[in-house]
Amino acid sequence: VGAGVWMLRARQGGATSYAPVIVRGDDTVPGTALVVVPALTWRAYGAGDCDRDGQGDSWYGHPRDPVVPRRCAYRTAGERPGLPHAFARFAPFQSWLDDHPHPVRYLSDVELAALTGAELRRYPLIVFPGHVEYYEQRLYGKLLRYRDGGGRLLFLSGNSFYGTVAVRGNRIVRL
């Protein structure tokens, strides 16, 4: 299995659940770029009901209580085979990268936010191939400092860095 985002798929009746698996890849090659998997935004649009409260686990489904579980399979109903809609914006870049190999390391947006400034500076480029709508405030500040220090940011999808969230244990809270 090569570096990238892989999906585990499970079917039960007419419903299909997906769980992304990030295979990070080797970052020892000089010039390795970071590719950011927008896990926080993917969680915002989940339709599963992992806490079994009768509501889909999306803060769009219950905006008065904008909290979703951090770890939960993504559930869809009646979708065609392949990647769920939430992942569709990421797939074209992954396909391009499969055809044009470059040294990359994959991280989720939560993992990226945990890196220090010195760790970020090891990478000449950070690529956001998918819809990175939601983010932790600490990540935004780190990316500004990275960019101001000469780092390059590449956004391949619109509406990036629209709203802040907080990761609190196994929960994501929209702020």
Side-chain angles (χ1 to χ4, degrees):
V1 173
V5 179
W6 295 82
M7 298 294 158
L8 297 177
R9 179 176 60 190
R11 282 185 242 164
Q12 181 178 13
T16 303
S17 294
Y18 297 84
V21 176
I22 301 171
V23 179
R24 287 179 178 71
D26 181 14
D27 68 347
T28 60
V29 177
T32 296
L34 280 179
V35 176
V36 181
V37 178
L40 293 171
T41 299
W42 290 353
R43 288 297 331 129
Y45 291 98
D49 185 15
C50 289
D51 58 6
R52 308 219 189 275
D53 66 355
Q55 292 181 307
D57 295 323
S58 164
W59 46 62
Y60 294 101
H62 47 91
R64 294 185 195 280
D65 184 25
V67 178
V68 296
R70 182 173 171 198
R71 294 178 181 93
C72 179
Y74 300 89
R75 191 163 181 107
T76 62
E79 216 169 80
R80 69 184 196 287
L83 293 175
H85 178 71
F87 305 104
R89 292 181 179 101
F90 196 88
F93 174 76
Q94 183 67 53
S95 179
W96 178 87
L97 199 55
D98 290 344
D99 293 338
H100 303 85
H102 293 280
V104 296
R105 180 162 179 86
Y106 291 81
L107 293 177
S108 74
D109 43 10
V110 176
E111 294 167 315
L112 181 65
L115 294 181
T116 66
E119 289 170 319
L120 280 178
R121 285 189 297 275
R122 291 179 43 216
Y123 302 95
L125 174 66
I126 301 175
V127 180
F128 297 89
H131 182 58
V132 186
E133 184 174 346
Y134 295 100
Y135 65 96
E136 293 181 88
Q137 186 63 46
R138 65 183 176 146
L139 175 58
Y140 190 76
K142 285 180 184 184
L143 290 175
L144 288 178
R145 289 187 295 279
Y146 168 82
R147 181 207 60 196
D148 292 347
R152 293 176 290 165
L153 303 171
L154 178 60
F155 296 91
L156 301 177
S157 184
N159 206 23
S160 294
F161 292 87
Y162 173 76
T164 56
V165 299
V167 177
R168 298 180 181 151
N170 194 30
R171 299 164 41 114
I172 303 168
V173 180
R174 188 184 73 206
L175 301 177

